[in-house]
């Protein structure tokens, strides 16, 4: 019973940390007006948070393996609380940017530590199911974060959204101090230094395959988030509110299928789950490229399929990494998160070069081909260097 309490505690902690990335996105115009600044600088407050989140993965992962999970998590939550309050009361855009970087640093430790803890306390089928539950909680943030932020910000101002984060984080800090034990295995981080740990991760064919798949998956995911609203606006004359409903449907499809991914991993094993799950995801992008502009019904079906296969593969990579690297567990998760964030950052930039506003085929067909090539490469890599199935 206590293990389930720990699972939901760290899962909800990661959920709240992730809210910092998207809770106030609907309020960017309000921020611009109240701080008398430019849209560029306000958008920068979003980018700097994500950049800090990405870079600190490489710091907090090895640190959690060396110093302990709780020893890293508790100070990070404190930083998150202080920076959230700072964001709420920032008198200028300069202060807001500073505290957003600090908030990203505080948030960065939580997903690394949370996934490592799950790897510490669960084994076999319980691990895959526990990781699926964790991913389910994590995916709720982008699904409901903008809605919560919009409601709070509309009534009380954008600063209230940050105070909301701070208040919940204070409760989580107390709960983690009382309920969370130190789960780091005694042998974790004791054999190698950080550079050697990174080498081990990039040398293993299974982990390299996971990193390749993760980069392209999240690159395509953020292309969807960026360009589906534009497609809905230009092709179907959708207003922002209706567009939000379509994106919410995609997120709900992801949430629905997350648990199925854990089942698939237990049924088919690591190698087949990776190949089958990501291949289906790539096929959904091809389908979108050729049918999304035929009718709105096709677009909605395509978007929901993309979200469904996103959830199907959501828990598999992190589950495998926690099993592959018991001594470098947090480091491996940190590397994977960094690669994913790089994919997120590159997606909109690549999409801007390929999307003309007329036909969506060049953009999404190119994405699907790149995704498929990555899957083919990963499949060949695992075949050339056979690896042990990790989930029993």
């Amino acid at each position: 019973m206590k293990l389930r309490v720990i699972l939901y505690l760290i899962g909800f902690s990661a959920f709240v940390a992730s809210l910092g990335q998207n809770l106030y996105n609907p309020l960017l115009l309000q921020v611009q007006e109240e701080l008398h600044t430019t849209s560029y600088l306000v958008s920068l407050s979003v980018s700097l948070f994500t950049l800090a989140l990405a870079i600190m993965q490489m710091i907090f992962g090895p640190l959690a393996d060396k110093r302990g999970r709780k020893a890293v998590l508790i100070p990070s939550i404190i930083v998150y609380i202080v920076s959230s309050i700072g964001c709420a009361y920032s008198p200028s855009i300069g202060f807001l940017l500073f505290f957003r970087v600090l908030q990203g640093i505080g948030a960065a430790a939580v997903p690394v530590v949370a996934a490592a803890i799950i790897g510490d306390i669960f084994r076999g089928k319980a691990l895959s199911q526990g990781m699926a539950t964790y991913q389910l909680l994590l995916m709720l943030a982008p699904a409901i974060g903008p809605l919560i932020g919009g409601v709070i910000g509309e009534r009380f101002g954008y600063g209230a959204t940050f105070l909301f984060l701070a208040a919940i984080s204070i409760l989580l800090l107390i709960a983690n101090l009382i309920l969370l034990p130190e789960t780091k295995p005694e042998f974790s981080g004791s054999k190698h230094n950080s550079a050697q740990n990174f080498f081990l991760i990039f040398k293993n064919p299974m982990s390299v395959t996971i990193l390749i798949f993760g980069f392209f998956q999240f690159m395509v995911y953020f292309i969807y988030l960026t360009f589906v609203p534009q497609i809905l606006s230009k092709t179907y004359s959708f207003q922002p509110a209706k567009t939000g409903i379509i994106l919410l449907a995609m997120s709900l499809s992801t949430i629905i299928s997350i648990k199925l991914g854990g089942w698939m991993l237990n049924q088919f094993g690591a190698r087949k789950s990776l190949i089958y799950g990501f291949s289906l995801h790539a096929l959904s992008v091809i389908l979108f490229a050729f049918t999304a502009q035929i009718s709105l019904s096709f677009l909605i079906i395509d978007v929901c399929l993309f979200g469904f296969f996103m959830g199907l593969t959501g828990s598999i990579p992190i589950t495998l990494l926690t099993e592959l690297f018991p001594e470098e567990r947090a480091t491996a998760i940190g590397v994977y998160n960094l690669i994913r964030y790089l994919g997120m950052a590159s997606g909109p930039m690549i999409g801007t070069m390929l999307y003309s506003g007329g036909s969506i085929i060049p953009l999404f067909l190119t994405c699907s081909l790149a995704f498929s090539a990555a899957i083919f490469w990963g499949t060949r890599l695992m075949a050339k260097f056979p690896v042990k199935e990790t989930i029993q």
Side-chain angles (χ1 to χ4, degrees):
M1 179 66 179
K2 188 176 181 180
L3 294 184
R4 305 301 295 181
V5 172
I6 294 173
L7 172 62
Y8 283 105
L9 174 60
I10 59 173
F12 192 65
S13 298
F15 164 77
V16 173
S18 182
L19 280 180
Q21 195 169 15
N22 50 51
L23 188 70
Y24 94 128
N25 283 7
L27 308 171
L28 296 182
L29 183 58
Q30 184 184 117
V31 176
Q32 181 183 344
E33 292 174 352
E34 291 195 21
L35 295 182
H36 307 290
T37 186
T38 65
S39 61
Y40 170 77
L41 288 175
V42 173
S43 298
L44 191 61
S45 70
V46 178
S47 300
L48 288 178
F49 179 96
T50 305
L51 183 63
L53 194 67
I55 293 173
M56 293 305 295
Q57 299 299 307
M58 303 298 281
I59 306 297
F60 285 131
L63 197 60
D65 281 331
K66 292 287 184 182
R67 302 297 183 186
R69 317 309 192 203
K70 191 171 182 177
V72 172
L73 181 65
I74 297 302
S76 298
I77 295 177
I78 294 173
V79 171
Y80 190 75
I81 294 169
V82 172
S83 58
S84 295
I85 296 172
C87 289
Y89 292 108
S90 291
S92 68
I93 188 63
F95 278 97
L96 179 63
L97 293 176
F98 170 78
F99 283 114
R100 282 291 284 172
V101 171
L102 202 61
Q103 193 183 37
I105 291 172
V110 185
V112 176
V113 171
I117 289 174
I118 295 171
D120 294 339
I121 64 177
F122 292 108
R123 293 290 179 272
K125 292 184 178 181
L127 171 61
S128 61
Q129 291 303 317
M131 202 66 77
T133 299
Y134 164 69
Q135 289 292 322
L136 176 62
L137 291 170
L138 200 58
M139 286 304 298
L140 285 174
I144 67 175
L147 177 62
I148 295 173
V151 171
I152 295 174
E154 186 175 338
R155 293 195 63 182
F156 305 106
Y158 78 88
T161 62
F162 292 112
L163 293 178
F164 171 76
L165 290 177
I168 296 181
S169 298
I170 290 171
L171 296 177
L172 286 171
L173 175 64
I174 296 170
N176 278 291
L177 282 169
I178 297 172
L179 300 175
L180 183 66
E182 178 54 66
T183 64
K184 183 181 86 72
E186 293 184 5
F187 55 79
S188 178
S190 59
K191 273 189 178 181
H192 309 105
N193 58 40
S194 297
Q196 290 172 319
N197 288 343
F198 290 136
F199 177 76
L200 288 173
I201 294 164
F202 285 104
K203 182 182 178 182
N204 185 291
M206 177 68 84
S207 59
V208 170
T209 300
I210 291 170
L211 296 178
I212 293 169
F213 286 8
F215 175 86
F216 281 96
Q217 182 180 53
F218 279 83
M219 179 195 77
V220 176
Y221 176 49
F222 266 63
I223 285 175
Y224 267 72
L225 292 181
T226 303
F227 293 98
V228 165
Q230 295 185 37
I231 295 166
L232 285 167
S233 176
K234 292 180 178 180
T235 306
Y236 299 105
S237 302
F238 260 45
Q239 297 301 313
K242 289 185 177 180
T243 298
I245 294 174
I246 301 297
L247 294 179
L248 179 61
M250 182 171 72
S251 297
L252 291 176
S253 299
T254 300
I255 291 170
I256 289 170
S257 63
I258 284 176
K259 283 287 189 178
L260 185 59
W263 173 85
M264 185 172 72
L265 184 57
N266 291 326
Q267 291 295 314
F268 299 109
R271 191 192 308 268
K272 289 182 179 179
S273 296
L274 276 175
I275 296 171
Y276 294 166
F278 281 91
S279 295
L280 288 171
H281 205 190
L283 285 174
S284 73
V285 184
I286 297 175
L287 183 66
F288 185 92
F290 289 106
T291 64
Q293 286 185 310
I294 294 177
S295 72
L296 181 60
S297 297
F298 273 116
L299 184 143
I300 293 172
I301 293 170
D302 292 341
V303 166
C304 289
L305 279 176
F306 180 86
F308 183 86
F309 292 128
M310 185 90 183
L312 189 67
T313 56
S315 64
I316 295 174
I318 295 182
T319 302
L320 295 179
L321 288 173
T322 59
E323 288 269 293
L324 284 168
F325 302 101
E327 297 182 32
E328 308 85 14
R329 186 168 285 143
T331 303
I333 294 166
V335 171
Y336 177 68
N337 285 344
L338 173 65
I339 296 299
R340 289 195 301 170
Y341 293 140
L342 292 176
M344 294 176 190
S346 65
M349 292 186 293
I350 293 172
T352 300
M353 294 185 291
L354 294 172
Y355 179 59
S356 64
S359 174
I360 65 172
I361 292 178
L363 171 57
F364 286 93
L365 184 58
T366 301
C367 289
S368 63
L369 292 176
F371 200 176
S372 300
I375 294 168
F376 179 76
W377 183 20
T379 303
R380 292 289 298 272
L381 187 63
M382 288 190 292
K384 188 176 181 181
F385 301 98
V387 291
K388 181 182 177 182
E389 295 284 350
T390 57
I391 300 297
Q392 302 297 327

PDB file of all heavy atoms in Angstrom, residues 225-237:
ATOM      1  N   LEU A 225       1.454  20.194 -32.161  1.00  0.00           N
ATOM      2  CA  LEU A 225       0.954  21.240 -31.271  1.00  0.00           C
ATOM      3  C   LEU A 225       1.057  22.628 -31.899  1.00  0.00           C
ATOM      4  O   LEU A 225       0.230  23.504 -31.646  1.00  0.00           O
ATOM      5  CB  LEU A 225       1.741  21.217 -29.954  1.00  0.00           C
ATOM      6  CG  LEU A 225       1.539  19.990 -29.057  1.00  0.00           C
ATOM      7  CD1 LEU A 225       2.367  20.129 -27.788  1.00  0.00           C
ATOM      8  CD2 LEU A 225       0.072  19.798 -28.708  1.00  0.00           C
ATOM      9  N   THR A 226       2.081  22.832 -32.736  1.00  0.00           N
ATOM     10  CA  THR A 226       2.320  24.131 -33.348  1.00  0.00           C
ATOM     11  C   THR A 226       1.458  24.365 -34.583  1.00  0.00           C
ATOM     12  O   THR A 226       0.898  25.456 -34.775  1.00  0.00           O
ATOM     13  CB  THR A 226       3.798  24.290 -33.724  1.00  0.00           C
ATOM     14  OG1 THR A 226       4.604  24.109 -32.556  1.00  0.00           O
ATOM     15  CG2 THR A 226       4.071  25.662 -34.322  1.00  0.00           C
ATOM     16  N   PHE A 227       1.318  23.327 -35.428  1.00  0.00           N
ATOM     17  CA  PHE A 227       0.726  23.549 -36.744  1.00  0.00           C
ATOM     18  C   PHE A 227      -0.706  23.047 -36.900  1.00  0.00           C
ATOM     19  O   PHE A 227      -1.406  23.481 -37.818  1.00  0.00           O
ATOM     20  CB  PHE A 227       1.632  22.938 -37.826  1.00  0.00           C
ATOM     21  CG  PHE A 227       2.943  23.642 -37.945  1.00  0.00           C
ATOM     22  CD1 PHE A 227       4.074  23.142 -37.320  1.00  0.00           C
ATOM     23  CD2 PHE A 227       3.035  24.843 -38.639  1.00  0.00           C
ATOM     24  CE1 PHE A 227       5.280  23.812 -37.400  1.00  0.00           C
ATOM     25  CE2 PHE A 227       4.240  25.520 -38.720  1.00  0.00           C
ATOM     26  CZ  PHE A 227       5.370  25.009 -38.099  1.00  0.00           C
ATOM     27  N   VAL A 228      -1.158  22.142 -36.045  1.00  0.00           N
ATOM     28  CA  VAL A 228      -2.567  21.737 -36.126  1.00  0.00           C
ATOM     29  C   VAL A 228      -3.498  22.933 -35.904  1.00  0.00           C
ATOM     30  O   VAL A 228      -4.491  23.086 -36.638  1.00  0.00           O
ATOM     31  CB  VAL A 228      -2.869  20.581 -35.143  1.00  0.00           C
ATOM     32  CG1 VAL A 228      -4.383  20.408 -34.959  1.00  0.00           C
ATOM     33  CG2 VAL A 228      -2.255  19.286 -35.649  1.00  0.00           C
ATOM     34  N   PRO A 229      -3.216  23.830 -34.919  1.00  0.00           N
ATOM     35  CA  PRO A 229      -4.075  25.026 -34.800  1.00  0.00           C
ATOM     36  C   PRO A 229      -4.089  25.883 -36.064  1.00  0.00           C
ATOM     37  O   PRO A 229      -5.142  26.433 -36.437  1.00  0.00           O
ATOM     38  CB  PRO A 229      -3.441  25.791 -33.631  1.00  0.00           C
ATOM     39  CG  PRO A 229      -2.791  24.743 -32.806  1.00  0.00           C
ATOM     40  CD  PRO A 229      -2.261  23.750 -33.797  1.00  0.00           C
ATOM     41  N   GLN A 230      -2.936  25.993 -36.738  1.00  0.00           N
ATOM     42  CA  GLN A 230      -2.887  26.774 -37.970  1.00  0.00           C
ATOM     43  C   GLN A 230      -3.699  26.103 -39.081  1.00  0.00           C
ATOM     44  O   GLN A 230      -4.391  26.774 -39.857  1.00  0.00           O
ATOM     45  CB  GLN A 230      -1.438  26.941 -38.420  1.00  0.00           C
ATOM     46  CG  GLN A 230      -0.585  27.754 -37.451  1.00  0.00           C
ATOM     47  CD  GLN A 230       0.811  27.997 -37.975  1.00  0.00           C
ATOM     48  OE1 GLN A 230       1.001  28.198 -39.178  1.00  0.00           O
ATOM     49  NE2 GLN A 230       1.797  27.987 -37.095  1.00  0.00           N
ATOM     50  N   ILE A 231      -3.610  24.785 -39.144  1.00  0.00           N
ATOM     51  CA  ILE A 231      -4.363  24.048 -40.158  1.00  0.00           C
ATOM     52  C   ILE A 231      -5.865  24.195 -39.907  1.00  0.00           C
ATOM     53  O   ILE A 231      -6.657  24.416 -40.841  1.00  0.00           O
ATOM     54  CB  ILE A 231      -3.952  22.558 -40.149  1.00  0.00           C
ATOM     55  CG1 ILE A 231      -2.486  22.417 -40.577  1.00  0.00           C
ATOM     56  CG2 ILE A 231      -4.858  21.729 -41.060  1.00  0.00           C
ATOM     57  CD1 ILE A 231      -1.897  21.061 -40.272  1.00  0.00           C
ATOM     58  N   LEU A 232      -6.263  24.093 -38.644  1.00  0.00           N
ATOM     59  CA  LEU A 232      -7.676  24.243 -38.305  1.00  0.00           C
ATOM     60  C   LEU A 232      -8.182  25.638 -38.649  1.00  0.00           C
ATOM     61  O   LEU A 232      -9.310  25.813 -39.112  1.00  0.00           O
ATOM     62  CB  LEU A 232      -7.880  23.959 -36.815  1.00  0.00           C
ATOM     63  CG  LEU A 232      -7.819  22.485 -36.395  1.00  0.00           C
ATOM     64  CD1 LEU A 232      -7.725  22.362 -34.882  1.00  0.00           C
ATOM     65  CD2 LEU A 232      -9.037  21.726 -36.910  1.00  0.00           C
ATOM     66  N   SER A 233      -7.340  26.641 -38.428  1.00  0.00           N
ATOM     67  CA  SER A 233      -7.735  28.014 -38.712  1.00  0.00           C
ATOM     68  C   SER A 233      -7.847  28.273 -40.214  1.00  0.00           C
ATOM     69  O   SER A 233      -8.848  28.819 -40.693  1.00  0.00           O
ATOM     70  CB  SER A 233      -6.736  28.982 -38.083  1.00  0.00           C
ATOM     71  OG  SER A 233      -7.040  30.315 -38.427  1.00  0.00           O
ATOM     72  N   LYS A 234      -6.847  27.861 -40.976  1.00  0.00           N
ATOM     73  CA  LYS A 234      -6.806  28.179 -42.403  1.00  0.00           C
ATOM     74  C   LYS A 234      -7.715  27.289 -43.245  1.00  0.00           C
ATOM     75  O   LYS A 234      -8.314  27.742 -44.219  1.00  0.00           O
ATOM     76  CB  LYS A 234      -5.362  28.076 -42.907  1.00  0.00           C
ATOM     77  CG  LYS A 234      -4.451  29.149 -42.328  1.00  0.00           C
ATOM     78  CD  LYS A 234      -3.027  29.015 -42.852  1.00  0.00           C
ATOM     79  CE  LYS A 234      -2.130  30.124 -42.295  1.00  0.00           C
ATOM     80  NZ  LYS A 234      -0.733  30.024 -42.772  1.00  0.00           N
ATOM     81  N   THR A 235      -7.806  26.012 -42.869  1.00  0.00           N
ATOM     82  CA  THR A 235      -8.585  25.077 -43.680  1.00  0.00           C
ATOM     83  C   THR A 235     -10.039  25.012 -43.241  1.00  0.00           C
ATOM     84  O   THR A 235     -10.948  24.900 -44.077  1.00  0.00           O
ATOM     85  CB  THR A 235      -7.968  23.664 -43.614  1.00  0.00           C
ATOM     86  OG1 THR A 235      -6.588  23.731 -43.980  1.00  0.00           O
ATOM     87  CG2 THR A 235      -8.696  22.701 -44.544  1.00  0.00           C
ATOM     88  N   TYR A 236     -10.280  25.097 -41.919  1.00  0.00           N
ATOM     89  CA  TYR A 236     -11.644  24.900 -41.415  1.00  0.00           C
ATOM     90  C   TYR A 236     -12.190  26.114 -40.653  1.00  0.00           C
ATOM     91  O   TYR A 236     -13.246  26.014 -40.028  1.00  0.00           O
ATOM     92  CB  TYR A 236     -11.674  23.660 -40.509  1.00  0.00           C
ATOM     93  CG  TYR A 236     -11.280  22.403 -41.246  1.00  0.00           C
ATOM     94  CD1 TYR A 236     -10.028  21.815 -41.046  1.00  0.00           C
ATOM     95  CD2 TYR A 236     -12.128  21.827 -42.181  1.00  0.00           C
ATOM     96  CE1 TYR A 236      -9.644  20.669 -41.731  1.00  0.00           C
ATOM     97  CE2 TYR A 236     -11.761  20.683 -42.877  1.00  0.00           C
ATOM     98  CZ  TYR A 236     -10.514  20.112 -42.650  1.00  0.00           C
ATOM     99  OH  TYR A 236     -10.152  18.984 -43.340  1.00  0.00           O
ATOM    100  N   SER A 237     -11.461  27.236 -40.687  1.00  0.00           N
ATOM    101  CA  SER A 237     -11.899  28.505 -40.076  1.00  0.00           C
ATOM    102  C   SER A 237     -12.260  28.351 -38.605  1.00  0.00           C
ATOM    103  O   SER A 237     -13.257  28.898 -38.122  1.00  0.00           O
ATOM    104  CB  SER A 237     -13.108  29.071 -40.850  1.00  0.00           C
ATOM    105  OG  SER A 237     -12.777  29.280 -42.208  1.00  0.00           O
TER     106      SER A 237
END
